[in-house]
């Protein structure tokens, strides 16, 4: 099974150019809103663990979702995720690298206790980091256990693509441009 931290950029810049709606659409997609074959393959799976880590100037409270195996319970969990997505408010600045490092550290600790899962960080952002550590500080703060957890960055804006590609490279992840690549394609690749 998969365990992921979804690092959600809820800074004020995510209000621009439909980015907030793009983030909400992504969470809806993962929570079963698309009944096509591709949508069913890409949605969250039974026994999957997801931790939502919204951030802006600060980290907001974590929200955990464990995807049940029972279809009715799974539908209820998907409804909770969609409700959670609808409630996201975008304001503040962007502490991108601090949030990404916090997610990696959390998962490295989880992986040490429970190695039976595949761990990853999925970063939803417009790529405009303007507070907290920079890329160089992020690189220095990575330790071996965090480098073995891939970061998949999904971009909703034109922020610093080069730096996010470096984060993905350092962690053996990938960067996707949600403005150019369809969500089913992105999530199918992440799951592969």
């Amino acid at each position: 099974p998969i365990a992921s931290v979804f690092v959600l950029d809820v800074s004020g810049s995510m209000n621009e150019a439909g980015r907030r709606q793009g983030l909400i659409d992504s969470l809806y997609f993962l929570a079963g809103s698309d009944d096509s074959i591709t949508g069913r393959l890409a949605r969250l799976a039974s026994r999957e663990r997801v931790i939502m880590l919204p951030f802006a100037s600060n980290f907001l409270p974590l929200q955990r979702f464990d995807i049940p195996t029972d279809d009715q319970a799974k539908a209820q969990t998907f409804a909770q995720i969609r409700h959670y997505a609808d409630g996201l408010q975008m304001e503040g600045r962007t502490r991108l690298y601090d949030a990404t490092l916090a997610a990696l550290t959390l998962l490295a600790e989880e992986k040490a206790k429970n190695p039976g899962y595949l761990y990853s960080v999925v970063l939803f952002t417009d790529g405009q980091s303007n507070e907290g550590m920079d890329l160089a500080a992020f690189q220095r703060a990575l330790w071996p256990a965090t480098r073995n957890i891939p970061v998949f960055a999904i971009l909703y804006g034109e922020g610093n693509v080069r730096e996010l590609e470096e984060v993905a490279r350092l962690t053996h992840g990938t960067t996707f441009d949600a403005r150019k690549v369809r969500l089913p394609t992105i999530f199918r690749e992440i799951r592969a």
Side-chain angles (χ1 to χ4, degrees), residues 5-70:
V5 175
F6 289 180
V7 181
L8 309 175
D9 184 347
V10 294
S11 63
S13 62
M14 288 292 286
N15 277 317
E16 301 170 14
R19 296 173 190 160
R20 178 182 185 273
Q21 192 59 51
L23 172 59
I24 291 170
D25 290 347
S26 293
L27 295 178
Y28 263 62
F29 179 78
L30 288 167
S33 68
D34 183 345
D35 279 332
S36 70
I37 292 172
T38 303
R40 288 194 304 265
L41 291 173
R43 74 177 48 152
L44 298 170
S46 297
R47 300 182 345 160
E48 191 162 347
R49 294 180 178 169
V50 175
I51 300 170
M52 305 286 183
L53 172 58
F55 75 95
S57 300
N58 296 301
F59 306 149
L60 301 173
L62 296 174
Q63 179 68 50
R64 294 176 185 261
F65 296 98
D66 291 330
I67 310 304
T69 55
D70 175 72

Side-chain angles (χ1 to χ4, degrees), residues 73-90:
K74 186 185 296 184
Q76 290 172 345
T77 302
F78 284 169
Q80 291 169 353
I81 292 171
R82 291 190 296 271
H83 178 73
Y84 177 84
D86 288 335
L88 293 173
Q89 300 298 314
M90 311 299 171

